[in-house]
Amino acid sequence: MAGLIMIDDPDDPRLHDYTGLTDVELRRRREPAEGLFIAEGAKVIRRAGEAGYAMRSMLLSAKWVDTMRDIIDEAPAAVYVVDPALAERVTGYHVHRGALASMARKPLPTATGLLAGARRVVVMESVNDHTNIGAIFRSAAALGLDAVLLSPDCADPLYRRSVKVSMGAVFSVPYARLTTWPAGLETVRDAGFTLLALTPDERAEPLDEVAPHRMDRVALMLGAEGDGLTRRALAGSDAWVRIPMSHGVDSLNVGAAAAVAFYAVTAGRPSA
């Protein structure tokens, strides 16, 4: 353990990783460029470490030292202790989950490498809401998806909100970014996957009739909240599929739709 370091200056450069956490645009630029992401709370910090992400430092208030002792004792990096008011000045919000940890990112795998050992994957187009990203990753982990592929403009799965909503599930499912869109869908098709585009369009076939769980390799395509998949993405798919609706409801939130569709895709597969 590197030891506890008490800090009483919000401008201390050692707290740089934690400044302005509520400034989404700032963090979107800074975190990938500086090779870091923020994990919040004991469970998420522990899961990040178990997934092989190296800790850069940890920030917590004094009242959480005893509660976090097991993590502190194993921390390979500096642990900064501050009072709650200072933590709020640095981060921009009240840190109520006990601790924050700055973790080092790992290089992303290529889409081709990721697909080589997969049979059930989800491909997201322009899903730029961090809450939806986190919810989809959590469902993907829970329901046995092998991998996640992101279009170039999807939100960062390692942004603090995504990690928090997923309860650390973003560390459980490997993911990669397609470098071109929708041309990158050919990479998925060349790997032997059937591309199923999820859409509420009435021309789409009901998922239960398509029976994707019986297919050898399936890539389920999801679009952004509201807009759904673009026409170019739909044109690049092999088939359109939909979740049958009742009571005049025409669609579900993309996070809810993902969970339903993931079950349809993975039903009957042995759990890991």
Side-chain angles (χ1 to χ4, degrees), residues 33-254:
E34 297 177 15
L36 66 93
F37 68 92
I38 299 298
E40 181 177 2
K43 181 180 292 186
V44 172
I45 293 171
R46 187 175 287 109
R47 286 182 176 174
E50 291 170 350
Y53 291 94
M55 184 183 292
R56 293 161 55 111
S57 66
M58 189 157 64
L59 177 71
L60 71 161
S61 57
K63 74 173 185 177
W64 289 97
V65 170
D66 289 341
T67 302
M68 305 289 293
R69 177 57 65 181
D70 64 319
I71 296 178
I72 293 170
D73 288 345
E74 296 176 1
V79 179
Y80 303 126
V81 180
V82 301
D83 68 44
L86 189 144
E88 188 166 350
R89 288 180 64 187
V90 171
T91 64
Y93 75 106
H94 177 63
V95 181
H96 60 86
R97 287 181 176 263
L100 298 171
S102 174
M103 312 295 293
R105 290 175 181 251
K106 298 188 290 187
L108 288 181
T110 64
T112 300
L114 196 62
L115 292 169
R119 288 188 55 218
R120 297 291 185 269
V121 303
V122 56
V123 183
M124 289 191 242
E125 181 192 30
S126 304
V127 179
N128 48 35
D129 180 273
H130 293 104
T131 297
N132 285 334
I133 287 280
I136 291 169
F137 264 86
R138 188 171 184 182
S139 293
L143 295 166
L145 272 290
D146 300 316
V148 175
L149 293 176
L150 305 170
S151 69
D153 57 348
C154 277
D156 181 9
L158 295 183
Y159 181 71
R160 181 175 60 91
R161 180 65 178 168
S162 303
V163 174
K164 181 178 178 181
V165 170
S166 78
M167 293 298 292
V170 292
F171 311 134
S172 302
V173 186
Y175 71 94
R177 284 193 185 271
L178 295 167
T179 56
T180 59
W181 187 265
L185 292 173
E186 287 304 315
T187 300
V188 186
R189 184 176 286 108
D190 289 346
F193 286 82
T194 300
L195 289 158
L196 301 182
L198 189 65
T199 172
D201 193 297
E202 61 182 16
R203 292 171 294 177
E205 298 178 80
L207 264 170
D208 53 351
E209 294 181 14
V210 176
H213 61 288
R214 296 195 181 116
M215 296 178 177
D216 183 42
R217 285 185 158 185
V218 177
L220 182 71
M221 298 165 56
L222 299 175
E225 185 76 24
D227 294 335
L229 291 165
T230 62
R231 285 182 293 178
R232 292 195 307 156
L234 289 168
S237 69
D238 295 311
W240 297 6
V241 296
R242 61 182 172 86
I243 299 169
M245 302 284 173
S246 301
H247 300 293
V249 176
D250 61 356
S251 64
L252 295 172
N253 165 275
V254 66

